[in-house]
Amino acid sequence: MDVAVIGGGAAGLMAAATLVEEAAPRVTLFERNPRLGAKVIISGGGRCNVTTGLTSIRAVLARYPRGGRWLRPAMHAFPPAAVIDWFERHGVPLKTEADGRVFPVSDNGHDVVAAFARVLAAGRVDVRLRCRVTAVTPAGAGRFAIATEHGGAGPFEAVILTTGGSAYRHTGSTGDGYGFARSLGHTVTPLYPSLTAWVVAEPWARALAGLSFPDAELAIAGMKARFRGPFLFTHFGVSGPAVFALGSLVADRPFSPEAPLPVRVNLLPELRPEAVDGALQERLGRLGGRAVVNVLDTLLPRSICPVLCALAEVAPRTPAARLPRAARQRLAMLIGALPLPVTGRRSGDEFVTAGGIPTEEVDPVTMQSRLVPGLYLAGEILNVDGFTGGFNLQAAWCTGRAAGSGWKSAQG
């Protein structure tokens, strides 16, 4: 039996490794890049956030804005704990950091890809690097033919399509797989960038570039969408885990300089916005001999305090005891719900594609197409995406694993 895996990223590597270890068919792996796992290697700043340390499957699935419920069978079959065990059995010791992210002890994404390279080499997988697939077509009798820039290949009894999305295009994720799937009868949802940094027009925000908040709550006015976590100001706007997560919840929402996204930031997230005024009143009263700006910096990073005073139209050197009630309330409103109109997404910086092959067109247990027997789909090509923290790689591992196992089960 001959099986083709198109795409040597996370899902494709796991699918091919699973075929080698569980079924041992003849496997041909097509990868357009000069090396395997280009996006895996650079993920997590080159450290490769392999998965999450969460042990509750329910908690893990809640981290997927799209596709979480559909992922349930694959996630139960190959949860984060099993992923960790797989890598450690294949010579990649892992560590779980305080925030729950799991990395190689070496902090080197090359080690993750090297584990797959060893498995594929032992299984005599035909790995074709620098080999861009241009078409996948039926070849009769349930088989497939594959055209590449270097000629034809096949026939194959099965094709596992793991070409990724259209984010991080410099790694080879250029969306080719959507065209292959369409040509075989699948549909593709609208595609949107997810896990992106945001552009903010306000000069005061860009002037705070480099200031980070380890804990803040970002929300969108008029919506239930909110997320609490770290974020930072940049020279173009804001970035960080809380921005990425909130952005993924509204990945399909358009916004622009003419119609900005009305983001509000609670800089003291342990307090609800309506409770901030009481806390500020207490602090100003207790430190009444200080200037207002010096009272604020007992609550918040010093560099943002003059900005808050300017936005609230408060003279920063005003004695705290003399601050009028209305001025205090303006400051409290800004601390609890700082308006941050977002005018755009940081183009080209997106980590993940939201959208893809509709999950209802794919069997959630085997990853086999419900429309095309012998075609399997896994990874980012599917309409599944998660927050930062290892969740997107976890989805790639478990769907790639399911595709490899699914092909084996189809053989009886």
Side-chain angles (χ1 to χ4, degrees), residues 158-236:
V159 169
I160 301 179
L161 198 54
T162 56
T163 49
S166 58
Y168 262 37
R169 296 176 70 87
H170 60 285
T171 65
S173 294
T174 56
D176 291 354
Y178 302 129
F180 304 153
R182 281 195 186 100
S183 72
L184 293 168
H186 277 278
T187 57
V188 180
T189 72
L191 304 174
Y192 306 98
S194 188
L195 303 185
T196 62
W198 282 340
V199 176
V200 175
E202 276 70 11
W204 65 262
R206 297 198 301 274
L208 291 173
L211 173 62
S212 64
F213 283 79
D215 187 24
E217 184 175 72
L218 278 64
I220 299 173
M223 296 181 63
K224 293 182 179 180
R226 63 181 60 244
F227 196 88
R228 181 173 173 176
F231 91 103
L232 71 152
F233 289 97
T234 70
H235 67 280
F236 55 80

Side-chain angles (χ1 to χ4, degrees), residues 25-107:
R26 292 186 295 271
V27 179
T28 303
L29 174 58
F30 297 90
E31 170 54 49
R32 64 183 296 166
N33 285 312
R35 63 182 180 182
L36 297 170
K39 190 172 177 182
V40 174
I41 290 170
I42 66 172
S43 66
R47 299 172 60 208
C48 189
N49 183 185
V50 174
T51 186
T52 173
L54 289 176
T55 56
S56 165
I57 301 299
R58 176 176 293 184
V60 173
L61 293 173
R63 268 61 175 186
Y64 295 89
R66 282 155 291 274
R69 180 176 297 181
W70 179 87
L71 267 180
R72 187 179 299 144
M75 192 70 72
H76 275 281
F78 201 52
V83 169
I84 292 170
D85 178 68
W86 191 94
F87 280 106
E88 295 197 326
R89 284 191 292 107
H90 288 83
V92 186
L94 302 177
K95 60 182 177 181
T96 303
E97 299 195 339
D99 59 4
R101 295 182 299 166
V102 178
F103 293 92
V105 170
S106 65
D107 286 328

Side-chain angles (χ1 to χ4, degrees), residues 65-321:
R66 282 155 291 274
R69 180 176 297 181
W70 179 87
L71 267 180
R72 187 179 299 144
M75 192 70 72
H76 275 281
F78 201 52
V83 169
I84 292 170
D85 178 68
W86 191 94
F87 280 106
E88 295 197 326
R89 284 191 292 107
H90 288 83
V92 186
L94 302 177
K95 60 182 177 181
T96 303
E97 299 195 339
D99 59 4
R101 295 182 299 166
V102 178
F103 293 92
V105 170
S106 65
D107 286 328
N108 191 335
H110 286 89
D111 292 346
V112 173
V113 175
F116 288 106
R118 291 191 292 270
V119 173
L120 302 187
R124 298 183 179 178
V125 174
D126 181 6
V127 178
R128 301 188 184 183
L129 300 175
R130 295 186 177 89
C131 188
R132 179 173 175 266
V133 172
T134 56
V136 181
T137 55
R143 297 185 175 194
F144 301 87
I146 292 177
T148 76
E149 292 179 325
H150 308 297
F156 295 96
E157 282 78 13
V159 169
I160 301 179
L161 198 54
T162 56
T163 49
S166 58
Y168 262 37
R169 296 176 70 87
H170 60 285
T171 65
S173 294
T174 56
D176 291 354
Y178 302 129
F180 304 153
R182 281 195 186 100
S183 72
L184 293 168
H186 277 278
T187 57
V188 180
T189 72
L191 304 174
Y192 306 98
S194 188
L195 303 185
T196 62
W198 282 340
V199 176
V200 175
E202 276 70 11
W204 65 262
R206 297 198 301 274
L208 291 173
L211 173 62
S212 64
F213 283 79
D215 187 24
E217 184 175 72
L218 278 64
I220 299 173
M223 296 181 63
K224 293 182 179 180
R226 63 181 60 244
F227 196 88
R228 181 173 173 176
F231 91 103
L232 71 152
F233 289 97
T234 70
H235 67 280
F236 55 80
V238 287
S239 187
V243 171
F244 298 152
L246 188 60
S248 70
L249 295 175
V250 294
D252 59 349
R253 176 166 173 167
F255 48 89
S256 66
E258 295 72 32
L261 186 70
V263 174
R264 301 288 183 268
V265 184
N266 185 349
L267 301 173
L268 295 176
E270 66 274 11
L271 300 175
R272 301 313 308 159
E274 58 272 14
V276 173
D277 184 48
L280 183 59
Q281 183 177 16
E282 185 278 332
R283 187 66 58 99
L284 289 166
R286 181 158 49 86
L287 302 173
R290 296 188 185 182
V292 168
V293 73
N294 296 133
V295 175
L296 291 177
D297 71 18
T298 66
L299 291 167
L300 298 164
R302 179 167 298 177
S303 60
I304 201 172
C305 297
V307 172
L308 293 173
C309 287
L311 293 174
E313 299 180 339
V314 170
R317 305 310 303 175
T318 300

